[in-house]
């Protein structure tokens, strides 16, 4: 999975999936064949990158949580973190086996 674009311009983003493709006639493998993933018109939303600003919102939320404040943004809780690790694990196993792997829950 590859993202490219200018983080300060929400309309510049492009998301691609790159995967190996095998030619069934002669079993040659062509790697990194890009598949464009369509995005809606809103594009990607990024954090505040203004040099004159207070810094990224994720850092501000982390500091608020450390200070014990009750009102802060939780972008990914522990369940989302665990599922992300489980998904990445399945991706590695899939690469090793060459076939789809189930996500272990």
């Amino acid at each position: 999975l590859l993202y490219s674009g200018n983080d300060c311009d929400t309309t510049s983003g492009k998301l691609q999936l790159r995967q190996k493709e095998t030619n069934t006639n002669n079993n040659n493998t062509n790697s990194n064949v890009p598949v464009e993933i369509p995005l809606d018109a809103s594009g990607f939303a990024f954090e505040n990158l203004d040099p004159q600003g207070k810094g990224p919102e994720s850092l501000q939320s982390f500091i608020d949580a450390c200070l014990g404040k009750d009102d802060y943004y939780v972008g990914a809780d522990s369940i989302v973190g665990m599922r992300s690790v489980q998904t990445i694990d399945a991706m590695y196993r899939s690469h090793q086996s060459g076939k789809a792997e189930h996500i272990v829950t």
Side-chain angles (χ1 to χ4, degrees), residues 29-104:
T29 300
N30 303 321
S31 60
N32 292 330
V33 177
V35 176
E36 190 82 21
I37 298 173
L39 305 172
D40 65 17
S42 63
F44 282 96
F46 296 101
E47 297 192 81
N48 180 358
L49 299 174
D50 181 8
Q52 305 305 320
K54 295 181 181 179
E57 286 81 0
S58 60
L59 178 60
Q60 294 174 33
S61 290
F62 176 72
I63 292 170
D64 287 347
C66 290
L67 292 173
K69 294 183 180 180
D70 293 330
D71 187 27
Y72 58 89
Y73 175 73
V74 178
D77 61 15
S78 60
I79 299 297
V80 171
M82 179 182 68
R83 297 255 162 81
S84 298
V85 170
Q86 291 169 332
T87 301
I88 292 168
D89 173 64
M91 291 167 66
Y92 278 113
R93 288 186 284 111
S94 175
H95 178 74
Q96 181 97 21
S97 69
K99 59 185 178 182
E101 296 285 343
H102 291 281
I103 296 174
V104 178

